[in-house]
Amino acid sequence: MKVVVQKYGGSSVADVEKIHEVARRIVATREAGYGVVVAVSAMGNTTNELLRLARNVSRAPGRRELDMLVSVGERISMALLSMAVTDLGAPAVSFTGSQSGIITDEAHTSARIVAVRPHRIQAALEDGKVVIVAGFQGVSRDKEVTTLGRGGTDLTAVALAAALGAEWCEICSDVDGVYSADPRVVPDAIKLDTLSLDEALALARNGARVLQADAVALAHRLGIELQAVATRDASGNGTRIQVNQLPPRFAAVTSDTLLVRVSGDPRALLPQLAGVDIRRVETDAVVVDTRNWHDQEIWSGAPPTPIAQVVAVATGPHVQTMDLLAALGALEAAELAVLRWEAAPDSLRFEVAHADVGQALRLVHGTLVAHS
Ligand code: ASP
Ligand code: MG
């Protein structure tokens, strides 16, 4: 089942009518065929009011008790929202942070998420339920209730999206997306349809209020696509904040290795390679550094073949499968033997005989770099 995580901020659930509006939006997403997991904030100004109450009772309230207190705000909204969704005919269940498996460190009022074990959420989704999670809270390893810092519901949503393998994570609020400048100040600011996570991170760190900086940083680290949308806008036309997929922009060659074919167990020959830098040992070959391969006399195996790697450098967390296929296809069409290929988060690597490296570089550059 495809899962979408939606976050609703405090102003989206500020009163009964708004809770019903959010419930309708959740049900619409479910009817579009998705499993829906919601991270909800406390209603309106609840968190501030609870904090004010604490300060009226005690001059220096302890952080543990503050967490016990403010975590209640999200428990109220989660339960009410779950009731409203269920009334629309979509069975829902609410879970606290603890019940959702959001494990944090012990730092009360600004805890960090250290693990997410969403077993109960997964079971409820499999039962066909909409899951409403209390945002902004977790549980420490010693079973204390913790909170994640102000605005922490965004973090809950991103962490759940990652743990559940969600398609994307919607951040639903009063504003309908990210603008080129604050539209309340700059009337001709334009709404951006898409943004890269790199840009979003830079924006959030430099004061843009639409996105919580810690949550964007987490999404950036985990490669989670975000959508900033207005709760009121059922069409969901907001700003998509995508995983950066920059095309490869450089191709380079490393050519300082020798491939030594070995018949039988490579371990028998390894002692003869003392003093040589071994790059890797395969079941039928050893790849060594050319620079200190000199004493051929003691070597009783087959003569080594100079090899090289053509590397297409692509930044961004995901190497594109189509790039890999295109490059392999071009090398194959040229009847160029690829000894080994590798896709790493920052690069695509093709190992070829040294004699072929110029042609391989031209082909990889032609298909991936010049092409993009
Ligand atoms: N209710 C909490 C706060 O006001 C968490 C959140 O809004 O995300 O900080
Ligand atoms: Mg709030």
Side-chain angles (χ1 to χ4, degrees), residues 157-300:
V158 172
L160 285 175
L164 296 167
E167 303 297 300
W168 66 82
C169 177
E170 276 172 39
I171 306 291
C172 311
S173 69
D174 291 346
V175 285
D176 63 348
V178 180
Y179 281 75
S180 54
D182 187 338
R184 288 167 303 185
V185 183
V186 182
D188 55 356
I190 49 166
K191 196 181 89 190
L192 304 167
D193 292 332
T194 60
L195 205 64
S196 74
L197 274 166
D198 274 336
E199 291 171 309
L201 189 58
L203 275 175
R205 284 194 175 140
N206 290 291
R209 299 271 286 282
V210 223
L211 302 159
Q212 200 234 23
D214 290 343
V216 178
L218 188 65
H220 188 267
R221 189 151 60 77
L222 303 176
I224 303 296
E225 178 177 316
L226 301 176
Q227 288 190 10
V229 295
T231 302
R232 285 175 179 279
D233 183 2
S235 70
N237 282 332
T239 301
R240 287 163 68 92
I241 303 159
Q242 293 160 322
V243 172
N244 316 299
Q245 284 201 331
L246 298 182
R249 306 225 284 154
F250 308 96
V253 166
T254 59
S255 56
D256 46 5
T257 46
L258 296 172
L259 178 77
V260 187
R261 292 253 176 241
V262 174
S263 52
D265 189 342
R267 278 180 296 183
L269 287 170
L270 287 181
Q272 293 181 38
L273 295 175
V276 175
D277 279 341
I278 296 179
R279 292 290 181 84
R280 63 174 201 269
V281 180
E282 295 175 6
T283 45
D284 62 346
V286 182
V287 175
V288 302
D289 193 312
T290 322
R291 284 166 298 186
N292 43 23
W293 174 270
H294 23 248
D295 195 3
Q296 300 270 354
E297 253 118 84
I298 59 148
W299 179 251
S300 59

Side-chain angles (χ1 to χ4, degrees), residues 7 9-10 41-42 47-48 74 136 149-154:
K7 178 259 173 170
S41 295
T47 307
N48 288 335
E74 272 71 12
F136 169 60
R150 296 306 304 269
T153 306
D154 286 30

